[in-house]
Amino acid sequence: MKKILPILLSVVIIFSACGEKKGQQEKMTNQQAIEIITAKINKNEKDHKLYYDRARLYMQEKRVNDAIADLNKAIQLKDNEIDYHLLLADAYFANGDVEHSYSTLDRVLELDPENQEAVLKQGEIAYYSKDYDRAIDNMSKVTAKDPTNRTALSIKAFVYKEKGDTANAIVLLRKVCDLYPDYAIAFDELGVIYSAHRDPLAIEYFKTAIRLDPTNTNTIYNLAMFYQETNQMDAAEEAYKQILDLDSDNKHAWHNRGYIELFTYGDTDKAIEYFTRALQCDSLFVEAYVNRGCAYELNGDRVNAEHDFRSALAHSPAYQPAIDGLHRIGKAQ
């Protein structure tokens, strides 16, 4: 699942270029902008907004600790700026500091008891911390004021899904899809729910999500797995190829293609090729070692089969399929 918390994307900061025609602008990198703001801070250490502006750039550059230091300085200089506290809460959460993120948002609510962004952010933190009751409570407060809030509706749906209440999750996710027909995440989540029940509706939801976000290999993988688990192997194979067209180092797509070749079509040579590609992507991929070992075993190549089974055990000493493989070829540990 993708994070729902607002993500500060890297952007190009625009400054007016000295001596250029009116309206003409020069693009600067974040680092250049940071240097300019730092020079301004050195001249005026009491300008709280400069610290905030630099903190925003630090967040974009993923320099979270630097952002936290600047935001605390900005708040020290001017405590009643809500935007400063909201960004600080994001920075603390990005650092995994849930306690300070919560308390920073509490300060926002002291300054503005009706601030829905703070309520929403606290609900998001609760969700990611698996404090589901608090997450639902916060999201319900948000939807009471804004019944169409996409984040609140989505997180409530995710909570219901994780608690096993798929009926309520489906109701909310369908509402999100109706309100926001371009929101791929909601369609993907519906696909995941229906696929768990082997319901063919999963295909349409996954395909809609892929149409909205054609480069999301996670969704394509979900569709491929649904095809594979419902014995639609040709369709699964095409979906895995689609993934590899986007990400040639996707170990799971290579592995699953090998699995299909081995256990559905009996093509051991092709299976070995695909399992080898998976292992080139991840030399610690235990399942790929074992399944390639099985392919070698079926080819009568006990030397390579033993090598792969033992390689799997070197990385996972108690992995039963590898132990079973050694027993089958008479090479028990």
Side-chain angles (χ1 to χ4, degrees):
M1 188 185 307
K2 298 176 182 176
K3 274 193 173 182
I4 306 298
L5 279 172
I7 298 173
L8 296 167
L9 300 176
S10 295
V11 296
V12 178
I13 305 301
I14 308 296
F15 287 86
S16 296
C18 182
E20 295 183 349
K21 293 181 181 179
K22 186 177 181 180
Q24 190 174 0
Q25 294 177 319
E26 180 183 84
K27 292 182 179 179
M28 285 190 175
T29 65
N30 283 346
Q31 184 54 42
Q32 289 171 325
I34 288 169
E35 290 170 4
I36 289 173
I37 295 173
T38 299
K40 291 181 179 180
I41 289 173
N42 290 337
K43 292 181 179 179
N44 185 2
E45 296 181 355
K46 300 298 183 182
D47 189 335
H48 53 89
K49 190 175 185 305
L50 289 174
Y51 291 100
Y52 172 68
D53 289 340
R54 191 170 65 175
R56 290 174 61 198
L57 293 168
Y58 281 145
M59 287 294 286
Q60 292 163 15
E61 292 297 302
K62 302 190 187 309
R63 294 170 59 178
V64 179
N65 288 327
D66 289 330
I68 290 172
D70 268 4
L71 288 163
N72 277 314
K73 180 64 176 179
I75 289 167
Q76 179 185 344
L77 292 167
K78 191 172 177 64
D79 178 60
N80 62 350
E81 286 288 344
I82 285 174
D83 286 345
Y84 298 1
H85 292 281
L86 289 172
L87 185 57
L88 181 59
D90 284 345
Y92 279 133
F93 187 70
N95 243 11
D97 189 343
V98 171
E99 181 179 351
H100 278 101
S101 188
Y102 266 130
S103 62
T104 302
L105 292 168
D106 282 338
R107 177 59 183 150
V108 172
L109 292 170
E110 288 174 7
L111 294 168
D112 177 12
E114 298 301 316
N115 191 288
Q116 293 302 291
E117 188 173 355
V119 176
L120 186 66
K121 285 179 183 292
Q122 284 192 335
E124 291 174 303
I125 294 169
Y127 168 68
Y128 290 115
S129 303
K130 299 189 182 298
D131 186 352
Y132 293 141
D133 290 339
R134 184 169 185 173
I136 288 288
D137 182 59
N138 277 52
M139 295 310 166
S140 295
K141 290 177 182 176
V142 174
T143 54
K145 292 182 177 293
D146 178 8
T148 65
N149 186 288
R150 189 180 78 177
T151 300
L153 291 170
S154 297
I155 288 186
K156 285 176 75 173
F158 301 155
V159 169
Y160 285 131
K161 175 190 165 191
E162 293 190 23
K163 293 179 73 172
D165 187 351
T166 56
N168 273 318
I170 287 170
V171 169
L172 286 172
L173 287 168
R174 283 178 171 170
K175 182 175 181 178
V176 172
C177 290
D178 288 340
L179 290 169
Y180 304 97
D182 294 331
Y183 188 46
I185 292 173
F187 289 97
D188 182 42
E189 286 292 328
L190 280 167
V192 169
I193 291 172
Y194 281 109
S195 67
H197 299 283
R198 303 292 189 270
D199 190 320
L201 276 174
I203 295 172
E204 296 308 313
Y205 284 118
F206 284 140
K207 284 185 173 181
T208 299
I210 293 167
R211 176 178 57 78
L212 294 170
D213 187 1
T215 63
N216 190 323
T217 55
N218 288 333
T219 303
I220 303 170
Y221 185 82
N222 288 337
L223 176 61
M225 282 299 298
F226 179 80
Y227 283 137
Q228 187 171 340
E229 290 169 354
T230 55
N231 205 33
Q232 301 178 66
M233 297 305 181
D234 289 344
E237 180 81 3
E238 286 303 312
Y240 289 129
K241 288 179 184 177
Q242 187 179 350
I243 292 171
L244 292 168
D245 285 341
L246 295 166
D247 175 13
S248 61
D249 292 327
N250 190 297
K251 67 177 183 179
H252 295 294
W254 284 118
H255 175 269
N256 289 8
R257 288 186 72 186
Y259 189 93
I260 290 170
E261 292 296 338
L262 181 60
F263 294 106
T264 299
Y265 302 126
D267 189 335
T268 53
D269 292 336
K270 185 68 74 174
I272 288 169
E273 176 189 343
Y274 291 157
F275 291 137
T276 299
R277 291 296 300 271
L279 287 165
Q280 288 170 350
C281 299
D282 180 2
S283 61
L284 304 180
F285 196 170
V286 172
E287 291 85 351
Y289 278 118
V290 168
N291 284 325
R292 190 174 69 173
C294 290
Y296 281 130
E297 180 186 352
L298 290 170
N299 271 358
D301 185 349
R302 294 193 173 192
V303 172
N304 276 318
E306 180 183 1
H307 175 271
D308 275 356
F309 293 143
R310 293 197 183 282
S311 293
L313 290 171
H315 301 303
S316 182
Y319 192 60
Q320 192 62 44
I323 296 171
D324 293 342
L326 288 175
H327 277 289
R328 286 196 307 272
I329 62 174
K331 298 289 184 177
Q333 290 175 286

